[in-house]
Amino acid sequence: MNSSEEIAVSGMSAGRSAMRMGPAELVQAAAMARRFYLEGKSKIQIAEEFGVSRFKVARVLETALERDLVRIEIRVPAELDAERSDALRARYGLRHAVVVESPADAEETPDPENLGEVAADLLGELVNEGDVLGLAWGRSTIHMAAALDRLPPCTVVQLTGVYDAGTAERGSVEAVRRAAQVSGGDAHPIYAPMLLPDAATAAALRHQTGIARAFEYFDKVTVACVSIGSWEPGISTVHDMLSDEERAHYASLGVAAEMSAHLFDTDGRRVGRDLGERCITVKADQLRRIPEVVAIAGGARKAAAIDAVLRSGLVTSLVTDTSAADVLMTAGPTPKPALNRADPDGS
């Protein structure tokens, strides 16, 4: 029996309708239910023990549920919202969706730190020995790496440059080191800014030995962890790195979200692709080929951006919070399943 489920079996305290069963029926139904739900015996085994057909066992178990002789409770940790998680997974066609209760005092704060803690546990489930784990820059991925306490042996590679090379020790470089330390695998950090002044400078950096070595792993990544940003100050790394003129230009293209320096409109189409030429980052088509891409993003202010990125088909799984989930469940028409990862705009 799954440890998250509690089966309560009671004969004497059954509901009023159950009392219509005779005492022998009650005792037998309770015994069969105990064998099936608590002891894990099959219907065939129970039928043999009681000398009845397996169809009789099935009818008794069904009656026990209908008449409240058996009560089944599904329990998950209080901070997880199982109902919203399942609804969100189904709406966007995700492989995994985990919705965490939003902190009561952080209604307007994007990406609460507890998202990173839950994402760390999720990676512990998803990563297998020998995998290549890719980490993109983002506050949520940094929180996730800090919370990691278990990972099987794997290689860890940085998927983007850093927001500020001067803070590398406290940012994505340290996140890559931390994940590699926990897993006991090799680390391949990128000591370079995410955004460069021009395409030529970015191209030159991509050929530097250490950065080129990390880039060689991009096509080998099996599980990636990314962040999502809204196109507004303080909630988008790329937005904050650009000049006012550049922000206005990309805003005119309809940008609503960014992920790993890739920009998306509200329908999940990539816009402003010229920006990628100036960035040290994994390509969109490389992300699309990664089997498992986990996005960590929450907060009502980020909900529209999360919706846009999920519609792109680049993300397979999501860790978010109830504030964002409630907005996402009513965000426009139902999107195409994310696991159908064909690119709608040819990128």
Short mmCIF file of all heavy atoms in Angstrom, two decimals, residues 162-219:
data_model
loop_
_atom_site.label_atom_id
_atom_site.label_comp_id
_atom_site.label_asym_id
_atom_site.label_seq_id
_atom_site.Cartn_x
_atom_site.Cartn_y
_atom_site.Cartn_z
N VAL A 162 26.29 34.08 -16.50
CA VAL A 162 25.76 34.61 -15.24
C VAL A 162 25.22 36.02 -15.46
O VAL A 162 25.59 36.71 -16.39
CB VAL A 162 26.84 34.61 -14.13
CG1 VAL A 162 27.29 33.21 -13.85
CG2 VAL A 162 28.01 35.49 -14.52
N TYR A 163 24.32 36.40 -14.57
CA TYR A 163 23.73 37.74 -14.63
C TYR A 163 24.79 38.80 -14.40
O TYR A 163 24.83 39.82 -15.05
CB TYR A 163 22.62 37.83 -13.58
CG TYR A 163 22.02 39.20 -13.40
CD1 TYR A 163 21.73 40.00 -14.50
CD2 TYR A 163 21.71 39.68 -12.15
CE1 TYR A 163 21.16 41.25 -14.34
CE2 TYR A 163 21.14 40.93 -11.97
CZ TYR A 163 20.88 41.71 -13.07
OH TYR A 163 20.32 42.94 -12.90
N ASP A 164 25.69 38.53 -13.46
CA ASP A 164 26.78 39.45 -13.15
C ASP A 164 27.99 38.61 -12.83
O ASP A 164 28.01 37.89 -11.83
CB ASP A 164 26.41 40.34 -11.96
CG ASP A 164 27.54 41.32 -11.60
OD1 ASP A 164 28.62 41.24 -12.19
OD2 ASP A 164 27.30 42.14 -10.70
N ALA A 165 28.99 38.64 -13.69
CA ALA A 165 30.18 37.80 -13.50
C ALA A 165 30.82 38.03 -12.14
O ALA A 165 31.46 37.15 -11.58
CB ALA A 165 31.19 38.07 -14.61
N GLY A 166 30.62 39.22 -11.57
CA GLY A 166 31.22 39.51 -10.28
C GLY A 166 30.54 38.80 -9.12
O GLY A 166 31.08 38.75 -8.02
N THR A 167 29.35 38.23 -9.37
CA THR A 167 28.65 37.52 -8.30
C THR A 167 28.60 36.02 -8.57
O THR A 167 27.79 35.30 -8.01
CB THR A 167 27.20 38.03 -8.14
OG1 THR A 167 26.49 37.78 -9.36
CG2 THR A 167 27.16 39.51 -7.84
N ALA A 168 29.50 35.54 -9.42
CA ALA A 168 29.47 34.13 -9.83
C ALA A 168 29.56 33.18 -8.64
O ALA A 168 28.94 32.13 -8.63
CB ALA A 168 30.62 33.85 -10.80
N GLU A 169 30.33 33.55 -7.63
CA GLU A 169 30.51 32.65 -6.49
C GLU A 169 29.20 32.47 -5.72
O GLU A 169 29.03 31.48 -5.03
CB GLU A 169 31.59 33.20 -5.54
CG GLU A 169 33.00 33.17 -6.14
CD GLU A 169 33.45 31.77 -6.50
OE1 GLU A 169 33.16 30.83 -5.73
OE2 GLU A 169 34.08 31.60 -7.54
N ARG A 170 28.29 33.43 -5.84
CA ARG A 170 27.03 33.33 -5.12
C ARG A 170 25.87 32.99 -6.05
O ARG A 170 24.73 32.98 -5.63
CB ARG A 170 26.72 34.66 -4.41
CG ARG A 170 27.81 35.08 -3.44
CD ARG A 170 27.39 36.30 -2.64
NE ARG A 170 27.10 37.45 -3.48
CZ ARG A 170 28.02 38.29 -3.94
NH1 ARG A 170 29.30 38.07 -3.67
NH2 ARG A 170 27.69 39.31 -4.68
N GLY A 171 26.17 32.74 -7.32
CA GLY A 171 25.11 32.52 -8.28
C GLY A 171 25.16 31.17 -8.95
O GLY A 171 25.34 30.13 -8.31
N SER A 172 25.00 31.17 -10.29
CA SER A 172 24.85 29.93 -11.02
C SER A 172 26.11 29.09 -11.02
O SER A 172 26.04 27.85 -11.07
CB SER A 172 24.39 30.21 -12.45
OG SER A 172 25.14 31.25 -13.03
N VAL A 173 27.28 29.71 -10.98
CA VAL A 173 28.52 28.93 -10.91
C VAL A 173 28.54 28.11 -9.62
O VAL A 173 28.85 26.91 -9.62
CB VAL A 173 29.76 29.84 -11.00
CG1 VAL A 173 31.03 29.06 -10.66
CG2 VAL A 173 29.87 30.46 -12.39
N GLU A 174 28.18 28.74 -8.53
CA GLU A 174 28.14 28.04 -7.25
C GLU A 174 27.05 26.97 -7.24
O GLU A 174 27.20 25.91 -6.63
CB GLU A 174 27.92 29.03 -6.11
CG GLU A 174 27.88 28.39 -4.73
CD GLU A 174 29.13 27.59 -4.40
OE1 GLU A 174 30.22 27.94 -4.91
OE2 GLU A 174 29.02 26.61 -3.65
N ALA A 175 25.93 27.23 -7.94
CA ALA A 175 24.85 26.24 -8.02
C ALA A 175 25.34 24.98 -8.72
O ALA A 175 25.05 23.86 -8.30
CB ALA A 175 23.65 26.83 -8.76
N VAL A 176 26.10 25.16 -9.80
CA VAL A 176 26.66 24.01 -10.53
C VAL A 176 27.63 23.25 -9.64
O VAL A 176 27.61 22.01 -9.57
CB VAL A 176 27.33 24.48 -11.83
CG1 VAL A 176 28.15 23.35 -12.46
CG2 VAL A 176 26.29 24.99 -12.81
N ARG A 177 28.47 23.98 -8.94
CA ARG A 177 29.43 23.33 -8.04
C ARG A 177 28.71 22.56 -6.93
O ARG A 177 29.11 21.45 -6.57
CB ARG A 177 30.35 24.38 -7.42
CG ARG A 177 31.38 24.96 -8.37
CD ARG A 177 32.13 26.06 -7.64
NE ARG A 177 33.24 26.58 -8.41
CZ ARG A 177 33.91 27.69 -8.09
NH1 ARG A 177 33.55 28.36 -7.00
NH2 ARG A 177 34.92 28.10 -8.83
N ARG A 178 27.68 23.17 -6.38
CA ARG A 178 26.95 22.53 -5.29
C ARG A 178 26.29 21.23 -5.76
O ARG A 178 26.38 20.20 -5.09
CB ARG A 178 25.88 23.51 -4.78
CG ARG A 178 24.82 22.90 -3.86
CD ARG A 178 25.39 22.41 -2.55
NE ARG A 178 24.35 21.81 -1.74
CZ ARG A 178 24.57 21.08 -0.66
NH1 ARG A 178 25.83 20.86 -0.25
NH2 ARG A 178 23.58 20.56 0.03
N ALA A 179 25.64 21.27 -6.92
CA ALA A 179 24.98 20.08 -7.44
C ALA A 179 25.99 18.98 -7.73
O ALA A 179 25.75 17.80 -7.44
CB ALA A 179 24.19 20.42 -8.71
N ALA A 180 27.13 19.35 -8.28
CA ALA A 180 28.18 18.36 -8.57
C ALA A 180 28.74 17.77 -7.28
O ALA A 180 29.04 16.57 -7.21
CB ALA A 180 29.29 19.00 -9.40
N GLN A 181 28.87 18.61 -6.26
CA GLN A 181 29.37 18.13 -4.97
C GLN A 181 28.42 17.10 -4.36
O GLN A 181 28.86 16.06 -3.86
CB GLN A 181 29.55 19.31 -4.01
CG GLN A 181 30.06 18.92 -2.63
CD GLN A 181 30.09 20.11 -1.68
OE1 GLN A 181 29.30 21.05 -1.81
NE2 GLN A 181 31.01 20.09 -0.73
N VAL A 182 27.11 17.38 -4.44
CA VAL A 182 26.12 16.46 -3.89
C VAL A 182 26.12 15.14 -4.66
O VAL A 182 26.01 14.06 -4.07
CB VAL A 182 24.72 17.10 -3.90
CG1 VAL A 182 23.65 16.08 -3.51
CG2 VAL A 182 24.67 18.30 -2.96
N SER A 183 26.25 15.22 -5.98
CA SER A 183 26.19 14.02 -6.81
C SER A 183 27.51 13.27 -6.88
O SER A 183 27.54 12.08 -7.21
CB SER A 183 25.75 14.38 -8.23
OG SER A 183 26.81 15.02 -8.94
N GLY A 184 28.60 13.98 -6.59
CA GLY A 184 29.91 13.36 -6.74
C GLY A 184 30.38 13.31 -8.18
O GLY A 184 31.33 12.59 -8.52
N GLY A 185 29.72 14.08 -9.05
CA GLY A 185 30.07 14.08 -10.47
C GLY A 185 30.91 15.29 -10.85
O GLY A 185 31.28 16.11 -10.01
N ASP A 186 31.21 15.40 -12.14
CA ASP A 186 32.01 16.51 -12.66
C ASP A 186 31.15 17.76 -12.83
O ASP A 186 29.96 17.68 -13.15
CB ASP A 186 32.62 16.14 -14.01
CG ASP A 186 33.65 15.03 -13.89
OD1 ASP A 186 34.25 14.90 -12.81
OD2 ASP A 186 33.83 14.27 -14.87
N ALA A 187 31.77 18.92 -12.63
CA ALA A 187 31.10 20.20 -12.81
C ALA A 187 31.70 20.93 -14.00
O ALA A 187 32.92 20.94 -14.19
CB ALA A 187 31.23 21.05 -11.55
N HIS A 188 30.83 21.56 -14.80
CA HIS A 188 31.28 22.35 -15.94
C HIS A 188 30.61 23.72 -15.89
O HIS A 188 29.60 23.97 -16.56
CB HIS A 188 30.95 21.62 -17.25
CG HIS A 188 31.68 20.33 -17.42
ND1 HIS A 188 32.97 20.26 -17.91
CD2 HIS A 188 31.32 19.06 -17.12
CE1 HIS A 188 33.37 19.00 -17.93
NE2 HIS A 188 32.40 18.25 -17.45
N PRO A 189 31.17 24.63 -15.08
CA PRO A 189 30.59 25.98 -14.96
C PRO A 189 30.99 26.85 -16.15
O PRO A 189 31.89 26.50 -16.93
CB PRO A 189 31.21 26.50 -13.66
CG PRO A 189 32.53 25.79 -13.58
CD PRO A 189 32.32 24.44 -14.18
N ILE A 190 30.33 27.98 -16.28
CA ILE A 190 30.64 28.96 -17.32
C ILE A 190 30.98 30.28 -16.65
O ILE A 190 30.12 30.91 -16.02
CB ILE A 190 29.46 29.15 -18.29
CG1 ILE A 190 29.22 27.86 -19.08
CG2 ILE A 190 29.71 30.32 -19.23
CD1 ILE A 190 28.03 27.93 -20.02
N TYR A 191 32.23 30.68 -16.77
CA TYR A 191 32.68 31.95 -16.18
C TYR A 191 32.56 33.05 -17.23
O TYR A 191 33.54 33.49 -17.82
CB TYR A 191 34.12 31.82 -15.69
CG TYR A 191 34.30 30.84 -14.56
CD1 TYR A 191 34.67 29.51 -14.82
CD2 TYR A 191 34.08 31.22 -13.24
CE1 TYR A 191 34.83 28.60 -13.78
CE2 TYR A 191 34.24 30.31 -12.20
CZ TYR A 191 34.61 29.01 -12.48
OH TYR A 191 34.77 28.10 -11.45
N ALA A 192 31.33 33.48 -17.47
CA ALA A 192 31.10 34.53 -18.47
C ALA A 192 29.73 35.15 -18.22
O ALA A 192 28.83 34.47 -17.72
CB ALA A 192 31.16 33.96 -19.88
N PRO A 193 29.54 36.41 -18.59
CA PRO A 193 28.22 37.03 -18.45
C PRO A 193 27.22 36.38 -19.39
O PRO A 193 27.59 35.82 -20.43
CB PRO A 193 28.47 38.48 -18.85
CG PRO A 193 29.95 38.67 -18.80
CD PRO A 193 30.55 37.34 -19.11
N MET A 194 25.97 36.46 -19.05
CA MET A 194 24.93 35.94 -19.93
C MET A 194 24.79 36.79 -21.19
O MET A 194 24.63 36.27 -22.30
CB MET A 194 23.59 35.88 -19.21
CG MET A 194 22.45 35.32 -20.05
SD MET A 194 20.84 35.47 -19.25
CE MET A 194 21.04 34.38 -17.85
N LEU A 195 24.82 38.11 -21.02
CA LEU A 195 24.60 39.03 -22.13
C LEU A 195 25.85 39.84 -22.41
O LEU A 195 26.43 40.42 -21.49
CB LEU A 195 23.43 39.97 -21.82
CG LEU A 195 23.08 41.02 -22.87
CD1 LEU A 195 22.54 40.34 -24.13
CD2 LEU A 195 22.04 42.01 -22.32
N LEU A 196 26.27 39.87 -23.67
CA LEU A 196 27.46 40.62 -24.10
C LEU A 196 27.05 41.83 -24.93
O LEU A 196 25.93 41.88 -25.45
CB LEU A 196 28.38 39.72 -24.91
CG LEU A 196 29.27 38.71 -24.15
CD1 LEU A 196 30.14 39.43 -23.13
CD2 LEU A 196 28.45 37.63 -23.49
N PRO A 197 27.96 42.79 -25.09
CA PRO A 197 27.61 44.02 -25.82
C PRO A 197 27.25 43.78 -27.28
O PRO A 197 26.45 44.52 -27.86
CB PRO A 197 28.88 44.88 -25.70
CG PRO A 197 29.60 44.34 -24.52
CD PRO A 197 29.30 42.88 -24.48
N ASP A 198 27.86 42.78 -27.89
CA ASP A 198 27.60 42.53 -29.31
C ASP A 198 27.82 41.05 -29.63
O ASP A 198 28.38 40.29 -28.83
CB ASP A 198 28.50 43.39 -30.20
CG ASP A 198 29.96 43.26 -29.82
OD1 ASP A 198 30.52 42.14 -30.01
OD2 ASP A 198 30.55 44.24 -29.34
N ALA A 199 27.39 40.64 -30.82
CA ALA A 199 27.47 39.24 -31.23
C ALA A 199 28.90 38.76 -31.38
O ALA A 199 29.22 37.60 -31.09
CB ALA A 199 26.70 39.04 -32.53
N ALA A 200 29.79 39.64 -31.83
CA ALA A 200 31.18 39.24 -32.04
C ALA A 200 31.86 38.87 -30.72
O ALA A 200 32.60 37.87 -30.64
CB ALA A 200 31.95 40.37 -32.73
N THR A 201 31.61 39.66 -29.68
CA THR A 201 32.19 39.36 -28.37
C THR A 201 31.65 38.04 -27.83
O THR A 201 32.39 37.22 -27.29
CB THR A 201 31.88 40.49 -27.37
OG1 THR A 201 32.35 41.72 -27.90
CG2 THR A 201 32.54 40.22 -26.04
N ALA A 202 30.36 37.82 -28.00
CA ALA A 202 29.76 36.57 -27.54
C ALA A 202 30.35 35.37 -28.29
O ALA A 202 30.66 34.34 -27.68
CB ALA A 202 28.25 36.61 -27.75
N ALA A 203 30.53 35.51 -29.60
CA ALA A 203 31.09 34.41 -30.40
C ALA A 203 32.51 34.10 -29.96
O ALA A 203 32.91 32.93 -29.88
CB ALA A 203 31.06 34.78 -31.88
N ALA A 204 33.30 35.13 -29.66
CA ALA A 204 34.68 34.93 -29.22
C ALA A 204 34.72 34.19 -27.88
O ALA A 204 35.53 33.27 -27.68
CB ALA A 204 35.40 36.27 -29.11
N LEU A 205 33.81 34.55 -26.96
CA LEU A 205 33.78 33.88 -25.66
C LEU A 205 33.38 32.42 -25.78
O LEU A 205 33.89 31.57 -25.06
CB LEU A 205 32.81 34.61 -24.73
CG LEU A 205 33.35 35.83 -23.98
CD1 LEU A 205 32.25 36.47 -23.14
CD2 LEU A 205 34.52 35.45 -23.10
N ARG A 206 32.47 32.14 -26.71
CA ARG A 206 32.02 30.74 -26.87
C ARG A 206 33.16 29.82 -27.28
O ARG A 206 33.08 28.61 -27.07
CB ARG A 206 30.89 30.66 -27.91
CG ARG A 206 29.60 31.31 -27.47
CD ARG A 206 28.47 31.00 -28.44
NE ARG A 206 27.37 31.96 -28.25
CZ ARG A 206 27.08 32.96 -29.07
NH1 ARG A 206 27.82 33.13 -30.16
NH2 ARG A 206 26.08 33.76 -28.82
N HIS A 207 34.21 30.37 -27.86
CA HIS A 207 35.34 29.55 -28.30
C HIS A 207 36.44 29.43 -27.26
O HIS A 207 37.42 28.73 -27.48
CB HIS A 207 35.92 30.11 -29.61
CG HIS A 207 35.04 29.87 -30.80
ND1 HIS A 207 34.08 30.78 -31.21
CD2 HIS A 207 34.95 28.82 -31.65
CE1 HIS A 207 33.46 30.29 -32.27
NE2 HIS A 207 33.97 29.11 -32.55
N GLN A 208 36.29 30.15 -26.13
CA GLN A 208 37.27 29.99 -25.06
C GLN A 208 37.18 28.58 -24.50
O GLN A 208 36.10 28.00 -24.40
CB GLN A 208 37.03 31.02 -23.96
CG GLN A 208 37.44 32.43 -24.36
CD GLN A 208 37.43 33.39 -23.18
OE1 GLN A 208 37.10 33.00 -22.06
NE2 GLN A 208 37.78 34.64 -23.44
N THR A 209 38.32 28.03 -24.09
CA THR A 209 38.41 26.60 -23.75
C THR A 209 37.37 26.15 -22.75
O THR A 209 36.62 25.19 -22.99
CB THR A 209 39.81 26.28 -23.20
OG1 THR A 209 40.79 26.67 -24.19
CG2 THR A 209 39.94 24.80 -22.91
N GLY A 210 37.28 26.81 -21.59
CA GLY A 210 36.36 26.36 -20.55
C GLY A 210 34.91 26.47 -20.98
O GLY A 210 34.10 25.57 -20.72
N ILE A 211 34.57 27.57 -21.65
CA ILE A 211 33.19 27.77 -22.09
C ILE A 211 32.85 26.78 -23.21
O ILE A 211 31.76 26.18 -23.22
CB ILE A 211 32.98 29.22 -22.56
CG1 ILE A 211 33.21 30.18 -21.38
CG2 ILE A 211 31.58 29.41 -23.14
CD1 ILE A 211 33.18 31.64 -21.75
N ALA A 212 33.77 26.58 -24.13
CA ALA A 212 33.53 25.63 -25.22
C ALA A 212 33.33 24.22 -24.68
O ALA A 212 32.49 23.46 -25.20
CB ALA A 212 34.71 25.65 -26.21
N ARG A 213 34.05 23.87 -23.62
CA ARG A 213 33.91 22.53 -23.03
C ARG A 213 32.50 22.36 -22.45
O ARG A 213 31.89 21.30 -22.59
CB ARG A 213 34.96 22.32 -21.95
CG ARG A 213 34.98 20.88 -21.40
CD ARG A 213 36.08 20.69 -20.37
NE ARG A 213 37.41 20.91 -20.95
CZ ARG A 213 38.24 21.89 -20.60
NH1 ARG A 213 37.86 22.75 -19.64
NH2 ARG A 213 39.40 22.02 -21.14
N ALA A 214 32.01 23.40 -21.80
CA ALA A 214 30.64 23.33 -21.26
C ALA A 214 29.62 23.21 -22.39
O ALA A 214 28.68 22.40 -22.32
CB ALA A 214 30.34 24.55 -20.41
N PHE A 215 29.82 23.99 -23.46
CA PHE A 215 28.90 23.95 -24.60
C PHE A 215 28.86 22.56 -25.24
O PHE A 215 27.82 22.16 -25.79
CB PHE A 215 29.30 25.00 -25.64
CG PHE A 215 28.64 26.34 -25.45
CD1 PHE A 215 28.75 27.02 -24.24
CD2 PHE A 215 27.91 26.92 -26.46
CE1 PHE A 215 28.14 28.25 -24.05
CE2 PHE A 215 27.29 28.14 -26.30
CZ PHE A 215 27.40 28.82 -25.09
N GLU A 216 29.94 21.83 -25.18
CA GLU A 216 29.97 20.48 -25.77
C GLU A 216 28.99 19.54 -25.08
O GLU A 216 28.56 18.54 -25.66
CB GLU A 216 31.38 19.91 -25.69
CG GLU A 216 32.38 20.58 -26.63
CD GLU A 216 33.80 20.09 -26.41
OE1 GLU A 216 34.00 19.25 -25.49
OE2 GLU A 216 34.71 20.56 -27.12
N TYR A 217 28.64 19.86 -23.85
CA TYR A 217 27.72 19.00 -23.09
C TYR A 217 26.25 19.33 -23.34
O TYR A 217 25.36 18.57 -22.94
CB TYR A 217 28.00 19.11 -21.59
CG TYR A 217 29.14 18.23 -21.13
CD1 TYR A 217 30.44 18.72 -21.08
CD2 TYR A 217 28.91 16.90 -20.75
CE1 TYR A 217 31.49 17.92 -20.67
CE2 TYR A 217 29.95 16.09 -20.33
CZ TYR A 217 31.24 16.60 -20.30
OH TYR A 217 32.28 15.81 -19.89
N PHE A 218 25.97 20.46 -23.99
CA PHE A 218 24.58 20.89 -24.15
C PHE A 218 23.73 19.83 -24.86
O PHE A 218 22.57 19.62 -24.51
CB PHE A 218 24.50 22.21 -24.90
CG PHE A 218 24.91 23.41 -24.07
CD1 PHE A 218 25.34 23.26 -22.76
CD2 PHE A 218 24.86 24.69 -24.61
CE1 PHE A 218 25.72 24.36 -21.99
CE2 PHE A 218 25.22 25.80 -23.86
CZ PHE A 218 25.65 25.63 -22.55
N ASP A 219 24.29 19.17 -25.87
CA ASP A 219 23.53 18.16 -26.60
C ASP A 219 23.46 16.84 -25.85
O ASP A 219 22.79 15.90 -26.31
CB ASP A 219 24.15 17.92 -27.98
CG ASP A 219 23.89 19.08 -28.93
OD1 ASP A 219 22.79 19.67 -28.85
OD2 ASP A 219 24.78 19.40 -29.74
#
